C-alpha cells in the first residue's frame, strides 16, 4: 500500500524539479532531496525583495500584482514547510 505522505512529498519534489534556480542559491543547500526546492524558494524571495527595494527607491509604490505574487509565495512556503514538518524528515521540525 502506498503511503499518502510519500505521495504528497513526491508531488512537492516534482513541483520544484522543473523550476530553474541560480547556482549561487543552489550551492547554499546541500540536501540532495530538498536543496533544490529551498534554492528555488530562496531565489524567488530575493527577486521579490530586489523589486520591492527598487520600487522603494524610485516611486515608493509596489505594484499590486507583485504584492499578490509575494503573498502567494509566502503562503506556498508556509504550506510546504508544514508538509515537511509533518513528514519523517525531522530536520525541519524547528518552529518557524
Amino acid at each position: 500500500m502506498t503511503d499518502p505522505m510519500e505521495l504528497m512529498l513526491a508531488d512537492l519534489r516534482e513541483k520544484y524539479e522543473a523550476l530553474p534556480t541560480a547556482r549561487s542559491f543552489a550551492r547554499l543547500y546541500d540536501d540532495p532531496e530538498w536543496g533544490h526546492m529551498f534554492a528555488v524558494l530562496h531565489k524567488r524571495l530575493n527577486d521579490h525583495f530586489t523589486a520591492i527595494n527598487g520600487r522603494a527607491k524610485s516611486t515608493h509604490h509596489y505594484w499590486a500584482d507583485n504584492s499578490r505574487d509575494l503573498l502567494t509565495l509566502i503562503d506556498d512556503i508556509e504550506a510546504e514547510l508544514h508538509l515537511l514538518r509533518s513528514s519523517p524528515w525531522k530536520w525541519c521540525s524547528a518552529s518557524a
Side-chain angles (χ1 to χ4, degrees):
M1 186 168 157
T2 305
D3 178 14
M5 178 59 72
E6 287 299 322
L7 292 174
M8 289 186 291
L9 293 172
D11 290 344
L12 182 59
R13 277 189 293 275
E14 187 177 305
K15 176 180 176 180
Y16 290 95
E17 280 177 357
L19 298 176
T21 192
R23 184 175 183 276
S24 58
F25 291 95
R27 66 182 177 198
L28 297 174
Y29 302 96
D30 61 358
D31 183 89
E33 196 152 13
W34 300 108
H36 181 74
M37 178 188 79
F38 287 124
V40 168
L41 293 171
H42 190 159
K43 181 182 182 317
R44 289 179 60 197
L45 280 171
N46 272 28
D47 290 346
H48 278 287
F49 296 148
T50 299
I52 289 170
N53 288 333
R55 296 294 293 175
K57 291 177 185 176
S58 61
T59 65
H60 309 288
H61 177 267
Y62 194 53
W63 299 297
D65 285 343
N66 296 71
S67 295
R68 285 188 285 275
D69 290 345
L70 177 57
L71 291 173
T72 299
L73 175 58
I74 292 168
D75 288 343
D76 288 349
I77 290 170
E78 289 176 347
E80 269 89 337
L81 288 176
H82 177 74
L83 175 60
L84 289 174
R85 285 186 182 115
S86 301
S87 76
W89 284 271
K90 296 302 178 194
W91 53 266
C92 63
S93 63
S95 296

